[in-house]
Amino acid sequence: MPYPTRAILTGHTRGLGAAIAAQLLAQDIEVLSLSRTANAELAARHPETLSQIDLDLADLSALADWLAGDTLSRFMNGAQQVLLVNNAGVLAPVGALAAQPPAQVARAVSVNVAAPLMLAAAVAESAARSGGQAPETRIVHVSSGAARNAYPGWSIYCATKAALDQHARAVALDGNPSVRICSVAPGVVDTDMQAEIRGIGLDRFPLRERFDALKRDGQLATPEESARKLVQYLLSDTFGSHPTADVRELP
């Protein structure tokens, strides 16, 4: 059975990524997922349409080797529309500049910036050299409000997410009619990352109490709510009309 729309997704194991995968699969969109660990629940529910690749996106050499193979091009072959959802991301290191271990900085830049940009370029290149008419390519970077507002202790996270926003803006200026791109902030979502934030000492993240209050007052969006809005926008005719967006401002 042909699948006219296919999606590549990173970080599908839990939280927002798992919810995005579930939304796509529920619409009979075949998904190729990249993550360090598998999602057994989704695999059991969608054995025909979910393919999982065990890959640590912090290992850029391993990612480059995988992209040099033919798995991606074979997955995209025959698709009329290809979706790339760059969801995987890490928060650490958190703290002032002098308290940021270089290895953690390197990992954050690899996962949050280098991997998404490498995947975006590879998907676009594979689409461009496909036989016949190139499939429409839609790229989502899962960004953050931290890309657009600076927070003390989050200089690496803010900088890496801002890089995704700028990448989307610049790619949009390329004017390729076959490529639509948007860097989308998903809102404040009740995920493991939020739990990680609430576990950080005030000395490293002075604004932590604001996030404590969001959890306490029930103001965090569920992964399912944010995923539904993001996927709905991704598949809509208006996707990519602006290079950055926020799910809280989407209809």
Side-chain angles (χ1 to χ4, degrees):
M1 175 182 177
Y3 294 94
T5 298
R6 297 195 180 106
I8 300 101
L9 168 67
T10 65
H12 74 297
T13 306
R14 58 187 183 274
L16 182 61
I20 292 171
Q23 287 282 332
L24 293 168
L25 291 163
Q27 300 190 49
D28 292 325
I29 294 174
E30 192 174 3
V31 175
L32 175 67
S33 60
L34 286 75
S35 184
R36 287 183 298 167
T37 54
N39 189 317
E41 179 184 355
L42 282 177
R45 284 163 46 196
H46 303 277
E48 300 297 324
T49 50
L50 175 64
S51 301
Q52 304 185 84
I53 303 296
D54 180 6
L55 190 62
D56 184 353
L57 295 177
D59 187 343
L60 299 182
S61 294
L63 176 58
D65 288 343
W66 183 79
L67 291 173
D70 64 353
T71 303
L72 180 63
S73 60
R74 285 191 289 107
F75 177 76
M76 293 174 55
N77 184 43
Q80 298 173 9
Q81 183 183 67
V82 175
L83 315 174
L84 170 62
V85 183
N86 283 313
N87 166 74
V90 296
L91 177 66
V94 174
L97 185 61
Q100 296 172 359
Q104 288 190 15
V105 173
R107 179 173 181 81
V109 174
S110 297
V111 174
N112 294 0
V113 184
L117 271 54
M118 291 167 68
L119 284 163
V123 167
E125 190 272 338
S126 186
R129 62 179 168 83
S130 61
Q133 184 176 357
E136 180 194 54
T137 301
R138 297 189 175 197
I139 301 169
V140 174
H141 296 321
V142 176
S143 183
S144 169
R148 299 150 202 183
N149 299 282
Y151 297 115
W154 279 16
S155 59
I156 300 302
Y157 190 67
C158 290
T160 55
K161 290 300 183 179
L164 296 182
D165 283 10
Q166 279 294 80
H167 180 260
R169 293 184 182 107
V171 170
L173 292 176
D174 289 342
N176 185 337
S178 296
V179 176
R180 298 190 188 190
I181 189 169
C182 187
S183 191
V184 182
V188 188
V189 188
D190 196 1
T191 62
D192 288 350
M193 184 175 287
Q194 282 296 313
E196 181 183 353
I197 291 168
R198 295 192 299 274
I200 298 171
L202 288 172
D203 57 325
R204 292 167 54 210
F205 184 47
L207 299 183
R208 192 202 71 200
E209 291 174 330
R210 179 188 300 178
F211 291 83
D212 292 340
L214 290 172
K215 176 66 173 180
R216 183 180 64 246
D217 298 339
Q219 295 183 27
L220 297 177
T222 67
E224 292 73 22
E225 289 170 339
S226 292
R228 179 182 55 80
K229 290 182 178 180
L230 190 150
V231 171
Q232 184 179 41
Y233 176 55
L234 172 59
L235 298 175
S236 73
D237 291 339
T238 58
F239 177 78
S241 54
H242 299 284
T244 62
D246 190 310
V247 297
R248 292 167 292 189
E249 298 170 0
L250 297 174

